[in-house]
Structures are given as structure tokens and as C-alpha cells.
Amino acid sequence: MRPAVIDIHPHVISTDTARFPRAPLGGHQSSWSAERPVSYQQLLADMDEAGVDKAAIVQASTCYGHDNSYVIEAVQAHPDRFTAVGSVDILADDAVSQIEQWQRRGMTGLRLFTTGSTMPGQATWFTDERSYPAWEYAQATGLPVCMQMTQDGLDDLRTIIGKFPQVRLVLDHLARPDLSGGPSFPKAAGLFDLADNPNIYLKLTVRALEALDKAGASSADFFPLLVSRFGASRIAWGSNHPASPGGLKALLGAARDALACLSEEENAWIFGRTAETLYPVLAAAEPAEVRHG
């Protein structure tokens, strides 16, 4: 039996625009969701081809905004393989009620989209006092909150950590650090400084590999350092499929190659066990070899 492989950052897009109309945050749809949509049925096929057992599907905010209907349909169709990380307007008066309603339908994680292709620049609204009831709810219930953000938002994030120190935060794409400056990665100091908070988790995607390549830096320098600070049990792999091109199998392969410098145990955490900690609904018996060979 091999360790489970769990993807905590794929997206799904329906071709049925009547049932699932586009309502992107930022007012215009992302190019990737328009040009290479992947339905949840296709995601299952891609997972089987790649050797991915389960997935925490992240709401495609640049296509559907806060309407999580399609990702919820995916979970309800295949609860043995999927869970949902949905989006809610946490500034709304009924934000907690909205979170609870989506949870009853299968959402087990929340994602706040504070920057991205349809919303350039780092927003600060997640520190608004109107958001506090949602943060308090997430802290009290253990609901993990994924943050789509950049390094420019880390000071504001520390404000939230100070007020809600027990909330579990998952930084999408490692909060997009600048990995230039040499093997000590001095420009990523803000990221490394967050390691002291045990409730900070990192989502490792192809964006980190792209940042390393841009900086001319080595995976063998960066990932052991990252693990030494955060521990593999607070790092989880996500594909970013299909927002990142290449296909799920290739994205997983690239991550495997980059993390070959780590131990087998550390890889087991990053590619599966940490995901089970964040999303216990995905934890199960070891996957059968017959599924993927």
C-alpha cells in the first residue's frame, strides 16, 4: 500500500452556463477558466490518470464568485473522492449563516480571494471589523481558511492572527514569496517568520516552482529550509489544475521531482497526510493499488 495522494488545490468549471452562470469576482472571468475548463467528471479522470486519490476542490472565484453550487455538486456526486473549499463574502451581515448553509451541503473549508488575475493588487478588506464574526466562527469551529494573497498582505494577516490566534490559515501558493537573493531566501523572510504560529499551513503549488525558476534558485536549497521551519505536517501539495497549464499528471510529476530532496516521510505528509489533517473528511484507509496500478 502506498501513501494517499491528495490534491488540495484543483478547480472545476462546468460547461453548463445556464445552471452555473458566470459571476466572477472582479467583474470579468479569468482566461484559464474560459479557455481550459475542467468539469468534475474530467477532474476524476485526470486524478485517476495521475494517481491522485482525493481532492479538496477550491471554488473558482474568478468564474463563479461566491456561488459554490458547482463545487458542491461535485462533492455531492462523489463524496468518497471530493470535499469543497468554498467562497463567502465575509463582510456580509449574514456571512456566518452563509458559511453554515454551505457547510451543510458539503463545504469543509473556506477560501478568501484577496488578489488574483481578475483582482490585481493586494486587498485589505479581510481585516475589516465586519469580517470578525466570520473569523470568530472559523476559529471556534476549526474551519480552515485558505488565503489567496501575496507577501504584501502579510502584515494585515498578522493583524488577524493577533485577534484570532487559533484560526487555521492555509496560504495559497505560499503567499507568492519572492525567492530571489540567494540560498537563504532573504526576501521571503516574512513568510518564514510566520512559522512560529502553529496554525499557519502552507499550500505548495507549481507557483513556488515558477518562483524558484524565476529567481534561478534551487529546490534543494528552498524546500529543506521550508520544511525545517514549518515542518512537513504543515505543508500540503495542491496542483492548481487547470489554472496552471500542463495537466494534472505533469503538475504532480513536477512537484514530485522538486521534493525529491526531502525524505519519504516528509513527502508522505506533503502529498497526503497534511491534507487529511486540514480536511478530515478526506482521511480514509490507504488507497487500493488497483485504482491507479
Side-chain angles (χ1 to χ4, degrees), residues 10-11 57-61 64-69 71 85-87 111:
H11 304 288
I57 305 175
V58 174
Q59 167 73 349
S61 301
Y64 296 121
H66 299 306
D67 183 355
N68 303 294
S69 298
V71 68
V85 179
S87 178
R111 187 200 195 198

Side-chain angles (χ1 to χ4, degrees), residues 47-269:
M47 289 166 61
D48 289 340
E49 177 193 22
V52 175
D53 298 287
K54 299 184 180 183
I57 305 175
V58 174
Q59 167 73 349
S61 301
T62 60
C63 184
Y64 296 121
H66 299 306
D67 183 355
N68 303 294
S69 298
Y70 188 58
V71 68
I72 290 297
E73 179 168 291
V75 173
Q76 293 177 342
H78 297 279
D80 59 324
R81 304 289 297 277
F82 295 147
T83 193
V85 179
S87 178
V88 168
D89 178 4
I90 64 168
L91 300 183
D93 291 340
D94 64 342
V96 171
S97 175
Q98 290 182 42
I99 293 170
E100 291 175 324
Q101 289 178 34
W102 288 118
Q103 283 183 296
R104 286 192 289 270
R105 297 176 62 186
M107 186 182 85
T108 61
L110 181 65
R111 187 200 195 198
L112 304 185
F113 191 87
T114 71
T115 186
S117 61
T118 65
M119 296 174 62
Q122 176 60 57
T124 62
W125 51 259
F126 62 91
T127 64
D128 190 302
E129 289 186 3
R130 291 175 294 170
S131 72
Y132 289 0
W135 284 117
E136 179 58 42
Y137 177 83
Q139 176 170 258
T141 62
L143 180 72
V145 181
C146 293
M147 297 295 296
Q148 166 75 336
M149 63 184 301
T150 71
Q151 291 184 113
D152 292 339
L154 292 183
D155 285 343
D156 288 317
L157 188 68
R158 290 187 187 93
T159 297
I160 293 300
I161 294 169
K163 293 181 179 297
F164 307 99
Q166 300 305 314
V167 70
R168 291 195 296 170
L169 292 161
V170 187
L171 305 188
D172 286 3
H173 315 301
L174 311 185
R176 299 178 181 270
D178 182 344
L179 300 182
S180 63
S184 64
F185 303 98
K187 296 182 181 180
L191 172 66
F192 288 116
D193 287 346
L194 292 174
D196 292 338
N197 186 302
N199 294 311
I200 297 289
Y201 292 77
L202 304 180
K203 188 183 294 183
L204 194 164
T205 72
V206 69
R207 299 302 188 201
L209 308 188
E210 293 168 350
L212 285 167
D213 185 63
K214 179 181 178 180
S218 168
S219 295
D221 287 330
F222 178 67
F223 291 116
L225 179 60
L226 192 71
V227 169
S228 74
R229 295 299 303 273
F230 285 88
S233 63
R234 287 198 281 148
I235 304 172
W237 170 73
S239 67
N240 203 40
H241 174 62
S244 290
L248 181 57
K249 185 175 182 179
L251 291 166
L252 175 57
R256 289 285 201 195
D257 290 345
L259 299 186
C261 55
L262 302 180
S263 71
E264 184 176 326
E265 178 76 3
E266 289 164 341
N267 272 271
W269 276 102

Side-chain angles (χ1 to χ4, degrees), residues 19-58:
R19 289 186 61 214
F20 304 103
R22 286 16 178 178
L25 297 184
H28 59 279
Q29 185 178 351
S30 54
S31 57
W32 69 263
S33 64
E35 295 167 2
R36 47 180 184 276
V38 168
S39 67
Y40 70 77
Q41 295 93 338
Q42 183 59 53
L43 176 60
L44 275 178
D46 293 343
M47 289 166 61
D48 289 340
E49 177 193 22
V52 175
D53 298 287
K54 299 184 180 183
I57 305 175
V58 174

Side-chain angles (χ1 to χ4, degrees), residues 1-5 53 264 268 273 284-293:
M1 293 290 186
R2 60 166 177 78
V5 178
D53 298 287
E264 184 176 326
R273 293 178 190 166
E286 294 293 340
E289 291 292 340
V290 296
R291 180 182 294 163
H292 307 300

